[in-house]
Amino acid sequence: MFLTTKFLYPILGLLCVGTAIPLLDAQQQASASEITNAPVSRNINALATTSNLLSDPFTNPFHPFTNPFIHPLDTRLVLKLRERRVYLYQGDEIQESYPVAVGKKGWETPTGNFQVIQKVENPAWEHPWNGKIVPPGPNNPLGERWIGFWTDGKNFIGFHGTPAEHLIGRAVSHGCVRMRNRDIIALFALVQIGTPVIVEP
């Protein structure tokens, strides 16, 4: 069964043309409700550093397990829009880099300093206009993973997979950062809630 109640854990608004719906058990739903019922802030850094988003992995079901080879305090993502590429740094060293698609004209991916605020595996997708639910699978517009890093309290922007991998390298999205599914799966394992995301022109 797919959750259709948006307030449980809204991941994606109209900026990515739809809403992602994760599959949550009862305990996760309760924790998700606490996260999304936190005071809405236009300041993404204030929202991202809310204590319940950065809680201990043993008490927060949304907190990912730390990759043993990359220390989370030294890890950051640098997205270079002109290059259409995201870089994963540990300290001053580039560990990985992946090609991406970014926001098109009029829907540009926002620049600035952000943090990872959401992670969802195999999200379902709700069409923003007709409410149709697209379950996880090869035709899901969000691909196999979602990593959110920006919100205005209603809409969300993040990294996600795509079934249209031939568009990687272009400016084609509504603000989100599309990646090949194999790349978003790899990146998902290397970041955690609170990982800095720096978006450069």
Side-chain angles (χ1 to χ4, degrees):
M1 174 180 287
F2 300 102
L3 297 177
T4 58
T5 307
K6 294 183 182 179
F7 67 81
L8 285 179
Y9 197 173
I11 300 300
L12 196 57
L14 293 180
L15 291 180
C16 273
V17 194
T19 301
I21 305 171
L23 307 180
L24 308 178
D25 61 27
Q27 181 182 5
Q28 290 173 322
Q29 289 178 29
S31 296
S33 180
E34 291 177 7
I35 291 174
T36 53
N37 288 333
V40 174
S41 172
R42 294 282 176 178
N43 184 331
I44 185 63
N45 291 321
L47 179 64
T49 56
T50 301
S51 60
N52 58 1
L53 290 178
L54 300 179
S55 61
D56 185 89
F58 296 105
T59 60
N60 182 351
F62 295 108
H63 198 295
F65 294 106
T66 302
N67 183 292
F69 301 106
I70 296 190
H71 194 284
L73 297 179
D74 295 332
T75 302
R76 69 187 183 281
L77 296 177
V78 178
L79 171 61
K80 299 186 178 185
L81 298 178
R82 287 195 187 99
E83 293 184 18
R84 310 282 201 268
R85 200 163 192 91
V86 61
Y87 297 85
L88 178 101
Y89 281 83
Q90 181 182 17
D92 295 327
E93 299 293 327
I94 295 174
Q95 301 297 316
E96 303 287 348
S97 73
Y98 308 98
V100 300
V102 299
K104 60 186 176 181
K105 186 175 181 179
W107 295 88
E108 290 85 356
T109 303
T111 58
N113 296 326
F114 312 104
Q115 294 180 355
V116 172
I117 57 174
Q118 299 169 322
K119 293 182 65 182
V120 179
E121 296 185 45
N122 300 314
W125 181 74
E126 180 177 358
H127 193 287
W129 295 290
N130 61 26
K132 180 181 178 182
I133 304 298
V134 179
N139 296 319
N140 190 298
L142 302 181
E144 298 184 31
R145 300 290 188 274
W146 164 261
I147 305 171
F149 65 84
W150 179 98
T151 184
D152 60 4
K154 178 181 178 182
N155 299 304
F156 291 77
I157 286 177
F159 301 92
H160 65 82
T162 178
E165 295 189 351
H166 63 284
L167 296 177
I168 298 299
R170 304 184 189 181
V172 294
S173 78
H174 289 81
C176 280
V177 184
R178 300 180 188 175
M179 299 178 64
R180 295 179 299 205
N181 281 306
R182 67 177 181 271
D183 292 342
I184 191 69
I185 290 172
L187 184 63
F188 190 93
L190 298 175
V191 299
Q192 65 174 19
I193 302 298
T195 296
V197 178
I198 301 164
V199 184
E200 300 177 351

